[in-house]
Amino acid sequence: MLFGTLLAVAVAIFAAVMAVSARDDGRTQVLIASMDAESLAAASAAASAVLFFLLVCAIPAPRWWLLLFVPLRLAAFGAMLVVGLIGVVTGGGTVVPLVAQGCETGYVVSERPFLRSARIEVLRPEGILATSVAHVSTDDGHTPFSQGSYMVVVDGDLLRVWHTFDSATEPLAAVGEPRFVLPRIVDPGDVRCGLAGGPEPVTSLPSPTVAPDPDGGPRPTAAGDPRVEVVRLAALVVNSAIGPVTDAAGAPVAIPSAAELPCDGATGIDLALSTGDNARSYSAILAAFDAAGFATDRAMQEDLRYDGVVRVSARDRSTIDGMLHFVLGAECRTS
């Protein structure tokens, strides 16, 4: 009775998972915790095969029924072996959250290595169902997302994603076209942070229209105020880094609003960052400025970028103080 009940449950789970996956040309699937549809189907199929074998072995059979039950038990045993072999060959899949600087983006990534390649599927979960939004592949069974060998650049309402292709030892930078681009689906207040011990990323800029004035009145910032661009690019620095990203005191990096910056002939922001991987973060940040069209220059132990408005000075001082240093400056006059 017990084996029969459990078998019915396992078969029902397998049928439900396959029925959902058959809808919408396979774009919708069941996703429970870290098990995607393929893992759930394999697990329920394996459980069904084992339970069916136990069931036919547990049923008492009169001697004259052995001609039926012996082949049935052998078939159940063979089915159990076949399902187990299929599970071993197609198994090894992982499902991990897609993270931007230590914070969940609302997407998850399913990776399944097979022979000399790996299938990667980006899913958007909604309850126990998930919608497939992107497919990519890698060589040599490489699973960059479960290994953390990827980077996400938050660009307004978009997430631009790069990852390594052959192994986690490849250089990684936001160079060229991203492997895929996703729309942002979470608001800053809804982002789950701290997954990798990092702070909440700066995914949107504070409103630059009103800020407190020392004399008590509001101090507006002009529409073409270079301080707004300085703040935007400071956010680009933080968002392009590989989390966790902290300041010298180990706290989340704070970026001031545009109205908090001075405008007395010059303005700017100094950033000192400690990241999850300083070398990779430094390359990724510079690549983000290059992709934004900044002119490139190089001084002694200093990388320079300039777009006609904002000047960027970048130094990797990891061997000295363990920090990456960025100085963003622009000319600013109130009249």
Side-chain angles (χ1 to χ4, degrees):
M1 182 65 179
L2 176 61
F3 289 152
T5 301
L6 293 176
L7 175 61
V9 171
V11 171
I13 292 174
F14 178 82
V17 169
M18 297 305 294
V20 171
S21 297
R23 301 185 330 185
D24 302 327
D25 295 325
R27 292 187 65 246
T28 303
Q29 63 175 270
V30 178
L31 177 69
I32 300 178
S34 61
M35 297 186 70
D36 60 5
E38 195 164 338
S39 297
L40 287 167
S44 57
S48 299
V50 171
L51 289 167
F52 181 67
F53 174 73
L54 294 175
L55 181 64
V56 297
C57 288
I59 295 176
R63 184 182 299 275
W64 55 87
W65 280 24
L66 291 179
L67 290 177
L68 171 64
F69 269 81
V70 169
L72 184 62
R73 289 168 180 173
L74 289 174
F77 182 73
M80 185 173 60
L81 292 180
V82 170
V83 170
L85 180 61
I86 293 174
V88 170
V89 173
T90 63
T94 59
V95 176
V96 297
L98 182 68
V99 175
Q101 196 199 318
C103 299
E104 294 185 14
T105 61
Y107 294 96
V108 298
V109 182
S110 171
E111 298 176 294
R112 197 166 299 279
F114 182 71
L115 299 178
R116 299 289 295 175
S117 65
R119 292 187 290 112
I120 299 174
E121 185 174 20
V122 184
L123 304 169
R124 176 176 177 171
E126 294 179 274
I128 64 169
L129 298 181
T131 303
S132 175
V133 296
H135 289 84
V136 292
S137 63
T138 59
D139 277 348
D140 297 329
H142 177 45
T143 53
F145 293 91
S146 60
Q147 296 180 59
S149 184
Y150 71 95
M151 63 181 297
V152 180
V153 174
V154 182
D155 182 10
D157 291 330
L158 298 176
L159 303 175
R160 303 185 184 277
V161 185
W162 288 262
H163 63 79
T164 51
F165 189 74
D166 291 305
S167 74
T169 61
E170 291 177 30
L172 178 64
V175 177
E177 290 296 317
R179 288 284 283 167
F180 53 87
V181 179
L182 305 170
R184 273 182 52 201
I185 60 174
V186 293
D187 294 324
D190 296 332
V191 176
R192 292 180 56 195
C193 297
L195 190 70
E200 181 176 338
V202 182
T203 52
S204 63
L205 299 179
S207 172
T209 56
V210 179
D213 186 87
D215 298 327
R219 184 179 61 201
T221 56
D225 196 323
R227 292 175 291 180
V228 176
E229 184 68 4
V230 168
V231 170
R232 185 185 74 83
L233 294 173
L236 177 65
V237 170
V238 175
N239 286 327
S240 300
I242 297 169
V245 181
T246 58
D247 60 19
V253 175
I255 297 178
S257 67
E260 292 176 296
L261 298 179
C263 189
D264 51 5
T267 191
I269 296 176
D270 291 2
L271 293 174
L273 314 175
S274 175
T275 74
D277 188 323
N278 277 3
R280 289 168 59 196
S281 292
Y282 191 73
S283 296
I285 293 168
L286 292 181
F289 279 105
D290 293 342
F294 277 68
T296 302
D297 200 358
R298 174 75 183 171
M300 185 175 295
Q301 299 181 339
E302 180 182 21
D303 289 284
L304 304 173
R305 299 293 187 272
Y306 185 56
D307 70 345
V309 177
V310 179
R311 299 177 301 276
V312 182
S313 168
R315 295 174 182 266
D316 184 355
R317 301 184 61 187
S318 298
T319 58
I320 300 174
D321 60 6
M323 310 292 287
L324 304 179
H325 294 261
F326 296 88
V327 179
L328 300 93
E331 295 297 320
C332 185
R333 299 187 184 279
T334 56
S335 60

